[in-house]
Amino acid sequence: MEKIKVAVNGYGVIGKRVADAVQMQEDMELSGVCDVVTDWRIQMAVLKKYPVFASDDIFKTKMNEAGINSSGTLNDLLASSDIIVDCTPKKIAAQNIELYKKLGKKFILQGGEKHEATGHSFSAENNYATAINLDATRVVSCNTTSIVRTLTALKNAGLLLKARGTLLRRATDPWESHLTGIMNTLVPEKDIPSHQGPDAQSVDPSFNVITSAVKVPETLSHLHYWNVQLTRKADKEEVLDAFNKSTRIAMIKYSDELAANNTVKELMLAIGRPYGDMYEVALWQDMLKVVGDEVFYAYLVDNQAIVIPETIDAIRALTGIEPDAEKSILKTNESLGVKQSFY
């Protein structure tokens, strides 16, 4: 089998996880990772024997001076790749688009960029087919990914009418909480809807969804509360069955002492997930309540991990190596250990 050669530009929170995930796919090959740093982060790529590239000749010199054997520059990496996953910081990726287009390379952006940057936003269980053989797509943000997954499950069951959600957003990523974040306060986003609702509609315009968001002083994950009006009266088992049709929603229970995001993080570490990552939406089964034609539920979102399986599926869709969404999702789930029950 000829493997798709995948480049990763930006070896940070998302980039390092994408690179690891690519290495686990039978139909993909990591052609290299590119960055501008010379600290411990890129040294981890060296330890893993990933080909390391610098963004340009200036940073190549800095890497070489730091003892990092650079394989070349971003241009060299692109020349040996079929597709590039851009995981550089927000707004930097948009600046790289012109180069990718000039070289005729397919590319994937992350949710920090605007939908207009690619004209297509991706979530595997919702719109995989629309991304097949495109030149570019954008994997939507962690929060938006969770929204699309859960609402798609209800939509596919014919239950979704309209959705209203409140997001409790972590203040910053764990690795940089000593640099940024908030303490002893909550910061509500001044605009309603917050950007996640319209972002979900960039994947599926049929969603009647409004979100509001609050930044909270913690770093482990996001927590969502949802009130969804159904198309008709239903019972709890029917709603749970709809969620269980998604292979990327996992049920958790208060009764199992999984009552907060720190306990779920500990569970991920206990089952041996790399970095303690959770790729699934963790939805509290025993909190979910149905009242007539309304359902109320809450779930956790791992801000560092949930978009990784989506990115792998996006690679297959854009390159056309797997035209069947279910087959790609199954391959990705099996390679990463994505499951609907953690034990």
Side-chain angles (χ1 to χ4, degrees):
M1 177 196 304
E2 185 175 352
K3 297 183 178 183
I4 294 297
K5 296 180 179 178
V6 182
V8 176
N9 189 14
Y11 193 72
V13 170
I14 300 299
K16 67 183 180 183
R17 289 170 164 84
V18 171
D20 290 350
V22 167
Q23 284 287 85
M24 300 170 72
Q25 309 307 310
E26 293 182 350
D27 50 3
M28 299 178 195
E29 175 185 339
L30 182 67
S31 51
V33 300
C34 181
D35 214 303
V36 297
V37 300
T38 59
D39 59 20
W40 69 271
R41 291 168 290 177
I42 200 66
Q43 293 285 2
M44 295 302 99
V46 175
L47 281 178
K48 293 180 178 181
K49 294 182 169 41
Y50 293 165
V52 173
F53 294 77
S55 63
D56 57 30
D57 287 326
I58 294 175
F59 288 106
K60 179 181 178 181
T61 298
K62 290 182 178 181
M63 282 187 178
N64 291 336
E65 290 174 348
I68 298 169
N69 185 20
S70 169
S71 299
T73 65
L74 176 59
N75 282 341
D76 298 319
L77 175 58
L78 290 171
S80 62
S81 305
D82 300 311
I83 187 170
I84 184 158
V85 181
D86 194 308
C87 301
T88 56
K90 185 177 181 179
K91 297 183 180 180
I92 300 297
Q95 300 173 20
N96 294 328
I97 291 176
E98 184 177 347
L99 174 62
Y100 302 153
K101 288 183 175 180
K102 179 181 177 182
L103 297 177
K105 297 296 179 179
K106 292 177 180 287
F107 61 92
I108 296 170
L109 304 185
Q110 296 297 313
E113 306 305 320
K114 300 291 187 184
H115 170 76
E116 291 73 22
T118 61
H120 187 274
S121 294
F122 182 89
S123 184
E125 291 181 326
N126 184 284
N127 69 346
Y128 184 100
T130 66
I132 294 174
N133 293 322
L134 290 183
D135 291 330
T137 192
R138 162 184 168 265
V139 173
V140 291
S141 72
C142 48
N143 280 313
T144 304
T145 294
S146 74
I147 294 169
V148 176
R149 278 189 198 170
T150 51
L151 296 188
T152 296
L154 294 174
K155 176 184 174 179
N156 289 345
L159 291 173
L160 178 64
L161 183 60
K162 64 180 182 181
R164 306 293 182 256
T166 299
L167 289 60
L168 304 179
R169 301 180 57 207
R170 59 88 181 109
T172 189
D173 286 326
W175 84 271
E176 57 183 357
S177 58
H178 65 300
L179 300 175
T180 58
I182 59 174
M183 289 287 289
N184 300 323
T185 190
L186 303 176
V187 183
E189 291 193 12
K190 66 181 181 66
D191 294 322
I192 299 177
S194 60
H195 72 273
Q196 292 86 4
D199 200 28
Q201 291 168 329
S202 74
V203 176
D204 192 331
S206 73
F207 287 159
N208 182 341
V209 57
I210 294 177
T211 52
S212 53
V214 181
K215 188 180 291 186
V216 297
E218 59 88 22
T219 65
L220 291 178
S221 59
H222 307 296
L223 191 155
H224 288 214
Y225 273 98
W226 285 89
N227 169 206
V228 174
Q229 184 176 1
L230 305 175
T231 55
R232 54 179 170 77
K233 290 184 178 181
D235 59 27
K236 180 173 180 175
E237 291 307 313
E238 186 175 5
V239 173
L240 287 174
D241 183 63
F243 284 135
N244 285 327
K245 292 292 195 301
S246 167
T247 63
R248 292 178 178 172
I249 298 174
M251 295 297 163
I252 56 175
K253 296 179 182 178
Y254 261 77
S255 59
D256 285 340
E257 299 299 326
L258 295 172
N261 57 359
N262 61 299
T263 60
V264 175
K265 183 70 170 182
E266 189 69 13
L267 172 60
M268 294 304 103
L269 292 166
I271 64 175
R273 287 284 179 85
Y275 309 109
D277 282 349
M278 181 173 71
Y279 308 112
E280 304 84 353
V281 172
L283 194 151
W284 275 289
Q285 177 176 329
D286 44 2
M287 182 195 296
L288 185 147
K289 187 172 184 63
V290 179
V291 180
D293 65 349
E294 291 183 282
V295 58
F296 301 84
Y297 58 90
Y299 60 74
L300 293 174
V301 182
D302 188 329
N303 44 287
Q304 300 182 112
I306 191 173
V307 300
I308 304 307
E310 309 296 325
T311 302
I312 296 301
D313 290 327
I315 293 170
R316 291 199 182 96
L318 260 60
T319 58
I321 58 172
E322 179 50 76
D324 188 302
E326 289 188 8
K327 289 181 179 179
S328 178
I329 290 169
L330 179 60
K331 290 177 185 177
T332 304
N333 289 353
E334 288 182 345
S335 66
L336 298 180
V338 178
K339 55 185 68 178
Q340 293 171 292
S341 177
F342 295 123
Y343 49 85

